[in-house]
């Protein structure tokens, strides 16, 4: 059937639509309102994202402490730290560092023995924290579970009233993962362990602020088959980043916890290739910062310590 150019069914529909336009618009608006009421937009603000990412309370509560008492030099180091903590109760402590070999380097030791790798690091410690009453309770090779155990076996904060507690733990946990390449599964495990440690600290030191340090970058290596690989990303990088995201989420939801990621100071772009690489001078063995690296770590922590109430100048003033 043919329509004439004007005055046919086409124009009838046009008029009909025009006359109904206001109804249609009103209906559309009503529909939008109904849609908004029925399907509220998921809110993806920082708090909501943090709630999705943070290790659940149930998972944190079920994290288990694990001792390494069967290793003689670990047991001895732990006993020494328990003794030291008892002495620190008398002295009073303002700043506490908990961690693994990276943190133990502040003392210049590994399992309590002076080690070349940590040469000059105690001097960096003295420079930054010498004016404070600062304690280091760290043992090489510890996982989050090992540290959790120590917190409940004589190395915890009962009897101490620190202003700030720094925690750097989890890089050793990476070694025990069934599949390092499953970054999200690794991150869930490691961040749960680290947050369980912080939960314990918050409970033991109800006034302290906690600085939860993000895992530092590390390189691939086989100790048996050098050379070390400074190139980033390494096989650890994705898992480290995912872990740090979750630890940051946990900190976002806990008033007395600040997440501090100092990892960037150890990485640079290679000037010829443009690749990201660990800076050899700062992390010679692709895992532990050198004295120069620890200096940069201390500088990175400084504003956060200050904000949390640690003030190197304060004690100087008291001593004057
Ligand atoms: C993380 O994984 C290790 C190794 O499988 C396991 O021993 C540990 O209990 C796990 N920790 C948490 C908090 O799930
Ligand atoms: C920290 O030091 C500054 C001076 O540098 C001083 O004004 C401030 O009150 C101190 N804060 C604390 C908590 O001692």
């Amino acid at each position: 059937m043919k329509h004439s150019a004007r005055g046919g069914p086409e124009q009838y529909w046009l008029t009909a639509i025009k006359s109904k336009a206001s109804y249609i618009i009103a209906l559309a608006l009503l529909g939008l309102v109904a849609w908004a009421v029925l399907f509220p937009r998921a809110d993806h603000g920082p708090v909501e994202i943090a709630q999705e990412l943070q290790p659940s309370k149930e998972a944190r509560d079920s994290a288990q402490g694990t001792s390494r008492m069967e290793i003689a030099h670990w047991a001895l180091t732990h006993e020494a730290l328990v003794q030291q903590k008892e002495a620190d109760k008398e002295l009073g402590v303002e700043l506490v560092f908990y961690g693994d070999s990276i943190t133990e380097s502040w003392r210049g030791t590994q399992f309590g023995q002076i080690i070349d790798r940590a040469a000059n690091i105690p001097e960096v410690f003295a420079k930054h924290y010498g004016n404070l009453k600062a304690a280091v309770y760290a043992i090489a090779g510890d996982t989050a579970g090992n540290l959790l155990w120590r917190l409940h076996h004589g190395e915890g904060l009962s009897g101490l009233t620190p202003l700030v507690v720094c925690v750097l733990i989890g890089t050793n946990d990476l070694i025990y993962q069934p599949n390092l390449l499953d970054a999200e599964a690794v991150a869930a495990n490691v961040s749960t362990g680290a947050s369980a440690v912080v939960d314990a600290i918050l409970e033991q030191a109800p006034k302290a602020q906690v600085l939860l340090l993000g895992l530092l970058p590390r390189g691939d290596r086989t100790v048996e088959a050098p050379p070390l690989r400074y190139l980033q990303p390494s096989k650890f990088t994705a898992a480290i980043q995912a872990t740090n995201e979750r630890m940051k989420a946990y900190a976002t939801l806990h008033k007395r916890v600040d997440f501090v990621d100092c990892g960037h100071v150890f990485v640079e772009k290679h000037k010829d290739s443009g690749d990201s690489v660990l800076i050899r001078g700062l992390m010679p063995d692709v895992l532990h910062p050198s004295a120069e690296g620890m200096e940069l770590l201390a500088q990175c922590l400084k504003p956060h310590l200050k904000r949390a109430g640690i003030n190197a100048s304060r004690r100087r003033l008291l001593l004057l």
Side-chain angles (χ1 to χ4, degrees):
M1 170 178 163
K2 262 185 141 187
H3 301 302
S4 57
R6 287 182 183 79
E10 277 172 16
Q11 197 176 35
Y12 167 78
W13 281 112
L14 205 65
T15 315
I17 287 169
K18 271 185 184 154
S19 71
K20 296 222 163 72
S22 51
Y23 286 109
I24 291 168
I25 289 169
L27 272 174
L29 284 176
L30 206 68
L32 277 177
V33 169
W35 181 270
V37 169
L38 289 173
F39 305 104
R41 201 167 66 87
D43 194 340
H44 286 297
V47 170
E48 285 72 20
I49 291 173
Q51 271 158 355
E52 271 171 40
L53 273 181
Q54 81 154 347
S56 73
K57 177 97 174 65
E58 301 76 61
R60 277 146 44 206
D61 284 348
S62 61
Q64 297 294 311
T66 45
S67 93
R68 291 204 280 158
M69 286 303 263
E70 73 283 3
I71 304 169
H73 51 267
W74 191 89
L76 284 173
T77 315
H78 161 65
E79 298 299 348
L81 289 175
V82 171
Q83 298 285 319
Q84 188 204 320
K85 197 217 109 169
E86 287 307 305
D88 288 340
K89 273 188 188 171
E90 306 297 313
L91 276 166
V93 158
E94 294 159 307
L95 173 61
V96 176
F97 291 88
Y98 280 110
D100 52 37
S101 55
I102 296 172
T103 303
E104 198 189 337
S105 309
W106 283 130
R107 304 169 70 101
T109 62
Q110 174 175 280
F111 295 115
Q113 304 294 312
I114 303 282
I115 183 173
D116 279 350
R117 170 175 64 65
N120 303 319
I121 296 178
E123 286 75 3
V124 177
F125 189 82
K127 174 183 155 194
H128 286 275
Y129 311 118
N131 291 314
L132 300 161
K133 294 179 188 169
V136 177
Y137 307 134
I139 308 186
D142 267 13
T143 61
N146 300 144
L147 175 50
L148 188 60
W149 188 90
R150 290 197 283 120
L151 282 166
H152 289 300
H153 293 82
E155 292 185 51
L157 292 161
S158 64
L160 300 177
T161 51
L163 290 170
V164 180
V165 180
C166 292
V167 181
L168 172 54
I169 197 74
T171 202
N172 292 311
D173 300 57
L174 297 175
I175 303 300
Y176 301 104
Q177 300 299 316
N179 180 9
L180 194 50
L181 297 182
D182 186 351
E184 290 307 323
V186 174
N189 174 285
V190 182
S191 64
T192 300
S195 320
V197 163
V198 178
D199 282 342
I201 290 169
L202 290 173
E203 197 180 317
Q204 293 176 356
K207 297 236 165 75
Q209 194 71 23
V210 178
L211 299 190
L212 175 58
L213 275 69
L215 300 186
L216 302 181
R218 57 190 286 185
D220 294 321
R221 65 168 174 179
T222 45
V223 177
E224 305 78 19
L228 305 173
R229 288 178 56 81
Y230 295 88
L231 192 64
Q232 298 278 290
S234 70
K235 68 180 175 197
F236 298 106
T237 305
I240 287 173
Q241 284 170 351
T243 301
N244 287 350
E245 279 305 309
R246 287 171 193 252
M247 299 208 293
K248 184 176 164 190
Y250 167 84
T252 300
L253 297 171
H254 290 77
K255 233 195 215 118
R256 287 196 288 127
V257 184
D258 293 317
F259 176 76
V260 188
D261 190 353
C262 297
H264 59 277
V265 311
F266 297 95
V267 180
E268 69 179 0
K269 289 262 181 242
H270 191 277
K271 58 183 180 303
D272 299 324
S273 65
D275 290 333
S276 285
V277 287
L278 293 174
I279 303 170
R280 282 170 201 236
L282 301 183
M283 206 176 257
D285 68 358
V286 305
L287 176 58
H288 300 94
S290 60
E292 207 187 326
M294 293 301 267
E295 166 66 34
L296 293 186
L297 187 64
Q299 283 174 21
C300 173
L301 290 180
K302 195 168 174 176
H304 300 277
L305 286 174
K306 210 161 191 172
R307 247 210 350 247
I310 284 280
N311 211 335
S313 59
R314 181 169 54 89
R315 230 176 104 72
R316 255 189 224 117
L317 287 175
L318 287 178
L319 291 172
L320 278 178

